[in-house]
Amino acid sequence: MKHFTRILIYAAIATIVSFAGYSNLSAHTISSDTTSFYVIKLHKEIDASSARMFTDALREAEKQNADYCILNLNTYGGALDAADSIRSAIIRTPIPVISFINIQAASAGALISIACDSIYMSNGSSIGAATVVDGSGNVLPDKYQSFMRAMMRATAESHGKKVIINGKDTIEVWHRDPAIAESMVSADSVLSFTPTEAMANSYCEGMAENIMEVIQNIVGKSMEYTITEHKITATNRIIYFFLNPVIQGLLLMLIMGGIYFEFQTPGIGFPLAAAVMGMVLYFVPLYLEGFVQNWEIIFFFLGILLLLMEIFVIPGFGIAGICGILLIVITLAFAMIDNDIVFEGGTINFRPMIKPFAIVLISSTTVLFLSIYLANRLFPTKAFSHIALKTHLSSGKEGFVGVEKEGLNLLAGKKGCVATDLKPQGTVEVEGKRYPAQMIYGYAQKGEIVEISHHEGGRLYCRK
């Protein structure tokens, strides 16, 4: 009896263990059958900040090993270079990307949607109208349209062909017809699709009114799934704000203007602090997002160093100054560009460089003329007056007088009073006489006392 009881106890334990194992196995099986979706919402103009947001989100979806990525899209378009960045990221990612057109996918939005593996459209939505226009909405010349048509064709062709069996005939057709994608770019008749028209032309897999319906179209209603929505952190919001081209242009003006006014005023003051603040706000977000490389920061400060050498060390304006300005402009522009896109495939892609260089050049030109105008208002001396000949000379103390070279060597080591601002050239008064003078380094304002170092070519060289 005891032996029989022991057998029953062992049998009960074995049954419990087996059920527990089955339960765990069943739970694991259910977990393995669960499909994960990562949702990215893009309801705004396509620009550098939205492109960076999408690539960050797609990278996060890859880290989480999501089975699908759904792009909740509603846009009227935007910058072509930013749209191309999103398109390239979609084509390269191993995760199937589904575009859910939640009302509009116009222009750059159409390009992005065609790059996705599947397209679902809500009732009343549309896709197409990808003609390239400028900031004012004017249609650009045909060379831009031709490039856009090629990009649309290549994006459609990236999905390959599918086999259709019609009776005994087997034919291959494009999954997305490149000719249709090309027709969405035209200066005359621009093609756009409603959901029904898009489905009829294989540019839409189905209709859905929300993300849940999109998912059910993919995995069915009986399958289990998880949804993860991309959340933008406060830090990323700040970074994306400073990635806005308008903000970047203002920061460039702050940098250039601060440097210019610092050169106009001796010592270290507010203009330099403003320029440094502009550099930090300009470079740090781009560095955190991976746009700015170490060589770009090094070359930027090397350009400033060359410019300082040209102003304070090397007389005149020559190679050092020109190289410094070129380095500053090039590095400021390249800081906005993803170098992987520029140097992709071992060749240089010049297209992403156009907009950053335009922003830098326009901002620099604007701040140059604005700084000259403000300098004339804020400072008593004329900015850049040494560039052109004056139309008249004021009588008396402000004029230049010729001097004889004899006796100038006797002035070395003596003190003089600055008669006109030395920036770096002007006049200095020594023992009641005025002489052409130049500062060895730095500036000196009218009324300051300087020491004569030496003379050369009839000019006294001074230092504070």
Side-chain angles (χ1 to χ4, degrees), residues 347-457:
T347 59
I348 300 178
N349 184 8
F350 291 98
R351 179 168 40 81
M353 303 182 189
I354 297 175
K355 185 175 180 180
F357 272 97
I359 293 175
V360 172
L361 292 176
I362 292 173
S363 300
S364 302
T365 304
T366 302
V367 77
L368 176 63
F369 287 103
L370 186 62
S371 298
I372 295 174
Y373 174 79
L374 292 177
N376 289 330
R377 293 289 185 268
L378 299 176
F379 298 101
T381 57
K382 295 289 184 181
F384 292 153
S385 60
H386 59 283
I387 292 180
L389 293 174
K390 294 182 178 181
T391 56
H392 67 278
L393 289 175
S394 57
S395 60
K397 298 180 180 180
E398 296 298 327
F400 286 87
V401 295
V403 296
E404 296 182 359
K405 296 182 180 180
E406 296 181 4
L408 291 181
N409 57 335
L410 301 176
L411 299 179
K414 293 188 177 181
K415 302 291 177 59
C417 180
V418 178
T420 60
D421 290 347
L422 298 179
K423 291 188 174 183
Q425 297 180 359
T427 59
V428 64
E429 184 175 326
V430 183
E431 297 179 346
K433 293 184 179 181
R434 295 196 175 198
Y435 302 90
Q438 179 175 325
M439 292 295 292
I440 297 175
Y441 58 87
Y443 299 136
Q445 292 182 322
K446 181 178 180 180
E448 290 190 67
I449 303 300
V450 294
E451 181 181 349
I452 311 303
S453 172
H454 62 282
H455 76 91
E456 184 179 334

Side-chain angles (χ1 to χ4, degrees), residues 187-414:
D188 302 321
S189 179
V190 182
L191 180 64
S192 296
F193 283 148
T194 64
T196 304
E197 294 168 342
M199 286 189 290
N201 289 276
S202 298
Y203 268 74
C204 178
E205 274 64 43
M207 294 182 63
E209 295 306 314
N210 50 54
I211 297 295
M212 302 295 291
E213 290 188 14
V214 173
I215 294 174
Q216 289 173 2
N217 278 319
I218 296 170
V219 300
K221 296 182 179 181
S222 60
M223 295 293 291
E224 294 191 9
Y225 55 85
T226 60
I227 300 175
T228 302
E229 293 187 2
H230 175 65
K231 301 294 184 182
I232 303 177
T233 64
T235 302
N236 284 337
R237 289 186 186 277
I238 296 173
I239 292 175
Y240 298 151
F241 172 79
F242 285 108
L243 290 177
N244 187 293
V246 176
I247 302 301
Q248 288 178 329
L250 294 176
L251 291 175
L252 287 172
M253 295 177 67
L254 183 63
I255 295 171
M256 298 295 187
I259 293 174
Y260 173 82
F261 279 110
E262 186 61 32
F263 287 159
Q264 291 295 309
T265 56
I268 298 176
F270 176 75
L272 180 60
V276 171
M277 182 180 67
M279 294 176 196
V280 171
L281 295 178
Y282 181 81
F283 281 110
V284 170
L286 293 170
Y287 186 82
L288 293 175
E289 288 301 299
F291 282 164
V292 175
Q293 307 295 323
N294 293 330
W295 68 268
E296 293 168 348
I297 298 177
I298 294 172
F299 277 29
F300 175 78
F301 285 103
L302 180 60
I304 292 181
L305 180 61
L306 289 174
L307 200 58
L308 291 173
M309 289 177 61
E310 186 69 39
I311 294 174
F312 298 111
V313 179
I314 307 172
F317 189 81
I319 300 299
I322 295 174
C323 291
I325 292 175
L326 288 176
L327 281 177
I328 291 174
V329 171
I330 291 172
T331 52
L332 287 175
F334 262 92
M336 302 183 192
I337 307 172
D338 188 346
N339 292 344
D340 293 338
I341 297 177
V342 175
F343 302 106
E344 185 177 8
T347 59
I348 300 178
N349 184 8
F350 291 98
R351 179 168 40 81
M353 303 182 189
I354 297 175
K355 185 175 180 180
F357 272 97
I359 293 175
V360 172
L361 292 176
I362 292 173
S363 300
S364 302
T365 304
T366 302
V367 77
L368 176 63
F369 287 103
L370 186 62
S371 298
I372 295 174
Y373 174 79
L374 292 177
N376 289 330
R377 293 289 185 268
L378 299 176
F379 298 101
T381 57
K382 295 289 184 181
F384 292 153
S385 60
H386 59 283
I387 292 180
L389 293 174
K390 294 182 178 181
T391 56
H392 67 278
L393 289 175
S394 57
S395 60
K397 298 180 180 180
E398 296 298 327
F400 286 87
V401 295
V403 296
E404 296 182 359
K405 296 182 180 180
E406 296 181 4
L408 291 181
N409 57 335
L410 301 176
L411 299 179
K414 293 188 177 181

Side-chain angles (χ1 to χ4, degrees), residues 99-137:
S99 174
F100 171 48
I101 301 177
N102 193 359
I103 301 302
Q104 296 295 343
S107 190
L111 175 66
I112 294 170
S113 294
I114 295 173
C116 295
D117 298 276
S118 302
I119 301 175
Y120 289 87
M121 302 176 67
S122 63
N123 186 33
S125 62
S126 63
I127 179 175
T131 302
V132 185
V133 298
D134 59 17
S136 302

Side-chain angles (χ1 to χ4, degrees), residues 1-10:
M1 185 68 179
K2 290 183 180 180
H3 180 69
F4 181 74
T5 303
R6 189 179 296 114
I7 292 174
L8 290 177
I9 293 173
Y10 286 156

